[in-house]
Amino acid sequence: MHDVPFVDAHVHFWDLARLRYPWLQPPFADGGPNGSVEAIARTYLPGDYRVEAAAWNVVGAVHVDAGADAGDALSETQWLEGLAGETGLPDAIVAFADLADPNVGTLLAHHAEHGRVRGVRHIVNWHPDARRSYTAADLTRTDRWAAGFARLADHGLSFDLQCYPAQMIAVARIAQRHPHVPVLVNHLGMPVLTDPDGVSDWRRGMAALARLPQVSVKLSGFGFVQREWDVALVRRFVAETIDLFGPARVMAASDFPTDRLFGSYDMVLGALADAIGDLDMTDRRAIWGGNACRLYRIDPSILGDVK
């Protein structure tokens, strides 16, 4: 049993009978950024999550937009609020909003009316290789996306950033203009190891983001770095990320059930525990739970007596 209190900074729940999730519908193919998702294309609720996480001292969780149809964005938030009331999870919600939509302010205002909403995510991964892209164009280089990002501050919302390293310098320039919008980088910054300068691109992009004090990183998504990941890969990228951002600006996260495509919950969290095992207990407690509570404004009393 892993005894340190764990606030999972990145989980997904979905009820396929309630909302529309286009990416979880057949036909399933292996060619997309995640490969085939057929293995996780079934309803996943807090009870299912707790079974997978049984060996870990999970005391809280942050739900991040689960790829529901854009038209269901507000319905997802409303459903999650009810789910939290019934089951105790999630403690915080990162909702979906298309920042390139000129009317995004209306949706942001509606999301912000819900007590557990802390921020939004708009996946912006774009790559010259269309098989890697989540979007048809690089939205981060458009004025309309930058304008939507600016609107987050109006509603006290943070931004979960899921992009590729080659996009990070452009995003850092936008974020620098809006220091009151916390930015939480998903999945170790998703280095593209198959690019000719993939690791160098990642280091440059992450360094640009690390210079902004409002930016933090989730230590998660190992299978997005390399589907057949191993402990050595996790150690390498976790160590470099902590060197750049420091232990106060990184968070442990499972990305379940999505990351089950690449390994079991115990494998994923075990690799992360190994990667941060040389840090002192204060830093490890912060990474497992304290930082997520601070950055997502969750009551730290869920951590017990930990200060």
Side-chain angles (χ1 to χ4, degrees):
M1 178 73 181
H2 184 81
D3 292 328
V4 176
F6 177 31
V7 179
D8 194 334
H10 200 110
V11 303
H12 305 294
F13 304 131
W14 47 68
D15 184 342
L16 301 190
R18 179 181 290 266
L19 301 176
R20 297 166 290 173
Y21 299 88
W23 70 289
L24 293 173
Q25 301 299 321
F28 300 106
D30 196 49
N34 303 331
S36 174
V37 298
E38 185 173 5
I40 58 171
R42 53 184 56 86
T43 291
Y44 190 81
L45 299 173
D48 303 306
Y49 171 83
R50 290 187 189 279
V51 169
E52 294 201 90
W56 302 81
N57 185 17
V58 176
V59 297
V62 178
H63 185 281
V64 179
D65 115 77
D69 184 272
D72 285 343
L74 191 57
S75 295
E76 182 184 47
T77 290
Q78 294 164 340
W79 172 64
L80 289 165
E81 285 281 7
L83 197 65
E86 296 166 11
T87 70
L89 291 177
D91 298 85
I93 298 168
V94 177
F96 171 79
D98 179 353
L99 296 187
D101 182 344
N103 299 312
V104 71
T106 301
L107 178 58
L108 296 179
H110 287 315
H111 280 317
E113 291 170 355
H114 293 81
R116 291 179 178 83
V117 170
R118 299 292 184 265
V120 302
R121 180 172 76 160
H122 182 201
I123 292 177
V124 291
N125 293 77
W126 182 86
H127 192 277
D129 181 349
R131 292 170 299 179
R132 283 194 171 273
S133 284
Y134 292 64
T135 58
D138 188 355
L139 294 172
T140 65
R141 295 182 179 275
T142 65
D143 291 341
R144 67 183 189 277
W145 192 85
F149 186 96
R151 301 295 296 274
L152 295 169
D154 299 339
H155 305 281
L157 297 171
S158 63
F159 183 66
D160 260 54
L161 173 63
Q162 184 173 317
C163 70
Y164 287 127
Q167 301 172 282
M168 288 177 177
I169 291 174
V171 174
R173 291 192 187 107
I174 296 170
Q176 187 172 24
R177 300 198 297 266
H178 305 285
H180 300 300
V181 177
V183 175
L184 304 109
V185 178
N186 290 184
H187 309 329
L188 288 170
M190 296 180 75
V192 184
L193 301 188
T194 54
D195 281 356
D197 298 310
V199 175
S200 297
D201 290 342
W202 176 79
R203 286 181 179 137
R204 273 194 301 273
M206 291 287 274
L209 290 170
R211 286 191 283 271
L212 305 177
Q214 74 269 31
V215 181
S216 307
V217 182
K218 298 183 188 185
L219 307 178
S220 61
F222 310 144
F224 295 120
V225 181
Q226 185 171 293
R227 290 188 195 179
E228 299 291 332
W229 61 266
D230 57 23
V231 173
L233 177 140
V234 174
R235 268 188 167 267
R236 172 187 176 189
F237 282 100
V238 166
E240 286 205 45
T241 300
I242 294 175
D243 282 347
L244 281 168
F245 287 84
R249 294 164 61 196
V250 297
M251 295 168 282
S254 72
D255 188 37
F256 260 62
T258 308
D259 254 49
R260 197 184 328 110
L261 295 169
F262 316 113
S264 71
Y265 194 96
D266 290 343
M267 285 174 58
V268 170
L269 273 297
L272 180 55
D274 174 83
I276 66 172
D278 294 337
L279 299 177
D280 66 36
M281 180 57 76
T282 298
D283 287 342
R284 278 185 282 144
R285 286 186 180 276
I287 292 169
W288 283 113
N291 295 341
C293 284
R294 185 183 79 253
L295 295 165
Y296 281 113
R297 292 170 282 152
I298 298 169
D299 183 350
S301 68
I302 66 172
L303 299 174
D305 295 330
V306 178
K307 304 299 183 185

